[in-house]
């Protein structure tokens, strides 16, 4: 009986580690790819005659970075836990709260 519990616990831990590993891979790809593309766009702007300050403050250079960042934040919340409004803990707290009334 306890052996089955250990196997289930091991599977859950292994799945959790895999999810965290996938998030960090996603985050690494996000940084590397976005630094490359932002750097390339800024270089092109400077090459076209814009000042360095104008090239760095041009919002259109950061659109891809922003939207992928939104996706990365959502991924992070799913992996590391957003406040779970309707989780099992919430249900249990509400049941206990109503039982007290």
């Amino acid at each position: 009986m306890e052996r089955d519990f250990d196997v289930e616990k091991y599977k859950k831990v292994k799945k959790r580690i895999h999810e965290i590993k996938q998030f960090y891979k996603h985050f690494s790809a996000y940084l590397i790819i976005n630094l490359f593309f932002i750097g390339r766009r800024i270089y092109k702007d400077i090459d076209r005659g814009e000042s360095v300050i104008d090239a760095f403050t041009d919002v259109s250079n950061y659109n891809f970075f922003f939207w992928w960042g939104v996706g990365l934040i959502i991924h992070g919340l799913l992996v590391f836990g957003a406040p779970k409004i309707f989780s099992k803990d919430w249900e249990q707290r509400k049941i206990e709260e109503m039982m007290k009334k």
Side-chain angles (χ1 to χ4, degrees):
M1 179 76 152
E2 188 162 322
R3 182 83 171 139
D4 293 335
F5 178 73
D6 289 341
V7 171
E8 283 300 314
K9 194 172 182 182
Y10 174 78
K11 286 180 182 179
K12 285 182 181 180
V13 169
K14 188 174 179 180
K15 182 181 180 219
R16 176 81 174 130
I17 290 171
H18 177 72
E19 290 172 351
I20 293 170
K21 186 177 175 183
Q22 290 302 109
F23 172 77
Y24 283 120
K25 283 182 180 180
H26 185 187
F27 182 69
S28 298
Y30 169 78
L31 284 178
I32 292 167
I33 292 169
N34 278 295
L35 287 174
F36 173 76
F37 282 110
I38 289 171
R40 191 178 73 157
R41 290 191 71 167
I42 289 171
Y43 176 77
K44 282 184 178 182
D45 287 349
I46 292 170
D47 197 40
R48 289 185 195 132
E50 289 187 27
S51 70
V52 174
I53 293 172
D54 288 340
F56 272 97
T57 58
D58 184 8
V59 176
S60 67
N61 288 339
Y62 303 101
N63 284 337
F64 186 64
F65 184 75
F66 174 77
W67 291 111
W68 192 354
V70 170
L72 185 66
I73 289 170
I74 292 169
H75 186 184
L77 289 173
L78 291 173
V79 170
F80 294 110
K84 296 180 180 171
I85 296 170
F86 297 112
S87 66
K88 292 287 182 189
D89 294 337
W90 177 83
E91 291 176 20
Q92 189 62 35
R93 283 195 313 266
K94 281 297 177 187
I95 290 171
E96 290 172 8
E97 181 181 313
M98 295 186 118
M99 294 293 284
K100 287 179 183 177
K101 289 182 180 180

